[in-house]
Amino acid sequence: LRLLIEKLNDFNIYYLRNMQRIKIWQFTYNLVLTRPIWGFGAGIFPILYYSQNPYNAQHPHNIVLQMAFDYGILVSILLTTFVYLLLFRTWKNLYVKTNFKSIKNNQFDIYWFAASLVALVSQLYDVTYFEGRIAILIWIFLAGLKTINDDNIKVVKK
């Protein structure tokens, strides 16, 4: 606890700007701006990064930046929008459209949404998606969110 308090007292923006991950994000952002339409292609990031930095980074540590770097900004925006809309519609179906009295009936769906949200948000600060099992898990979560939305549409139509 004492160490945490010391770190919070010593916190400043200068320290944040000098964090290695922030530097990687800045480097990636600048590269994305040089080839915004087509990107650089998969697997090129560690070569470009190591050629200009002593630190050996294998990827940008952010899935949105990774997609923009590899395939261009348009692909990154499309896939990010798809996932955001899926999450938003699921949240809307679970919390806004349903009566809060029926939360007990939707517990599994709520847990599924929470697990999906954690898995997807974690990709914004470290891309574990490259591990095959995590990629499969994320796609299962996305399929489950789609199913939750489809089930809620069927309930509304009845």
Side-chain angles (χ1 to χ4, degrees), residues 84-139:
Y84 169 76
L85 286 174
L86 189 60
L87 280 169
F88 180 74
R89 286 182 181 158
T90 306
W91 174 80
K92 190 174 171 184
N93 285 330
L94 289 176
Y95 295 104
V96 176
K97 286 186 178 178
T98 61
N99 189 346
F100 282 102
K101 295 175 187 171
S102 67
I103 285 180
K104 190 166 183 115
N105 298 336
N106 294 331
Q107 281 182 343
F108 182 78
D109 293 346
I110 291 168
Y111 299 150
W112 192 275
F113 174 77
S116 302
L117 186 63
V118 168
L120 292 168
V121 167
S122 71
Q123 301 308 303
L124 296 175
Y125 58 87
D126 191 17
V127 182
T128 55
Y129 182 81
F130 296 135
E131 169 63 38
R133 293 171 286 196
I134 302 223
I136 292 170
L137 181 68
I138 287 173
W139 282 107

Side-chain angles (χ1 to χ4, degrees), residues 34-68:
T34 63
R35 294 190 68 185
I37 304 298
W38 302 111
F40 286 87
I44 302 298
F45 183 82
I47 297 166
L48 289 176
Y49 191 80
Y50 191 66
S51 69
Q52 297 181 21
N53 298 285
Y55 183 76
N56 189 13
Q58 297 298 311
H59 55 86
H61 296 284
N62 180 300
I63 194 72
V64 177
L65 282 173
Q66 179 75 46
M67 288 186 298

Side-chain angles (χ1 to χ4, degrees), residues 2 4 17-18 24 31 43 45 52 64 68 71 73-74 77-78 90 98 116 136-137 142 144 151 153 156 158:
R2 192 178 88 222
L4 177 64
R17 289 187 51 168
N18 285 321
I24 293 171
L31 281 177
F45 183 82
Q52 297 181 21
V64 177
Y71 309 113
I73 293 175
L74 182 63
I77 289 171
L78 286 173
T90 306
T98 61
S116 302
I136 292 170
L137 181 68
L142 291 174
D151 287 348
I153 290 171
V156 170
K158 286 184 179 180

